[in-house]
Amino acid sequence: MVLPIYTYGQPVLRKVAEDIPLDYPNLQELIQNMFETNTASDGVGLAAPQIGKSIRVVVIDLDVLSDTFPEYKDFRHAFINGHILEFDDSETETMEEGCLSLPGIHEAVTRAKRIYVKYLDENLVEHEEWIDGYLARVIQHEFDHLEGRVFTDRLSPFRKQMISSKLKALLQGKIRCHYRVKAPRR
């Protein structure tokens, strides 16, 4: 089932998400719905707060980028109770990012190229590993949602000022995109 995406200004996007118990009801259905929503919205990743749930569940589908990143062919994974334990800031990279919760806004964001993460996969198997490259960027972006942050929080005050009218429009529910959204009440 395709769910609406909660947009900038929704309070759930500013809450720190909770770890879920291993017996969380209908977890596999939730993960499937998140993948369907992500695909229908042309996203590469989706965090549960973006569908109104303040829980630590993220789905990432990088198969759509496999022409550019062949290593991500068939890459489609869920990250449950995920946490970034360490950032290797010895190398950073600046790339343009966008977000399903901030339609129409794209800005350059600097992030660590390598991170150490802990999470459960969709089979509830625990992983602790170093991740690098584009996947590290996507995880950082999606896990920011679990910490109550959006990518525009990482912009300089000058860049935030430059996009302030776009952010204000989102807060007012003035949104144009091809997928279902749940905008803040005016």
Side-chain angles (χ1 to χ4, degrees), residues 90-172:
S90 64
E91 277 192 80
T92 60
E93 184 173 45
T94 302
M95 289 179 68
E96 189 172 280
E97 291 186 18
C99 181
L100 297 175
S101 292
L102 290 102
I105 298 177
H106 296 86
E107 290 289 326
V109 178
T110 301
R111 295 193 186 269
K113 286 178 100 173
R114 189 168 170 254
I115 56 174
Y116 191 68
V117 296
K118 179 180 181 178
Y119 64 94
L120 302 171
D121 64 24
E122 49 266 43
N123 299 312
L124 302 179
V125 175
E126 187 172 350
H127 299 263
E128 267 193 52
E129 60 188 321
W130 282 101
I131 295 177
D132 57 16
Y134 190 73
L135 177 58
R137 171 172 295 277
V138 175
I139 288 175
Q140 288 173 80
H141 178 107
E142 299 306 332
F143 283 25
D144 269 359
H145 284 298
L146 304 180
E147 300 300 332
R149 292 188 209 112
V150 294
F151 81 95
T152 54
D153 297 342
R154 298 192 173 276
L155 301 178
S156 70
F158 175 74
R159 286 305 311 159
K160 283 184 193 173
Q161 182 61 37
M162 295 297 293
I163 64 166
S164 64
S165 62
K166 290 180 180 179
L167 293 173
K168 185 177 178 183
L170 289 175
L171 288 173
Q172 294 171 345

Side-chain angles (χ1 to χ4, degrees), residues 6 10 18 52 64 73 91 123:
Y6 282 56
Q10 287 283 6
E18 300 284 329
V64 296
K73 180 77 177 141
E91 277 192 80
N123 299 312

Side-chain angles (χ1 to χ4, degrees), residues 20-28 80-81 120 124:
I20 62 169
L22 297 182
D23 62 349
Y24 187 83
N26 304 314
L27 178 59
Q28 293 306 316
I80 300 159
N81 294 344
L120 302 171
L124 302 179

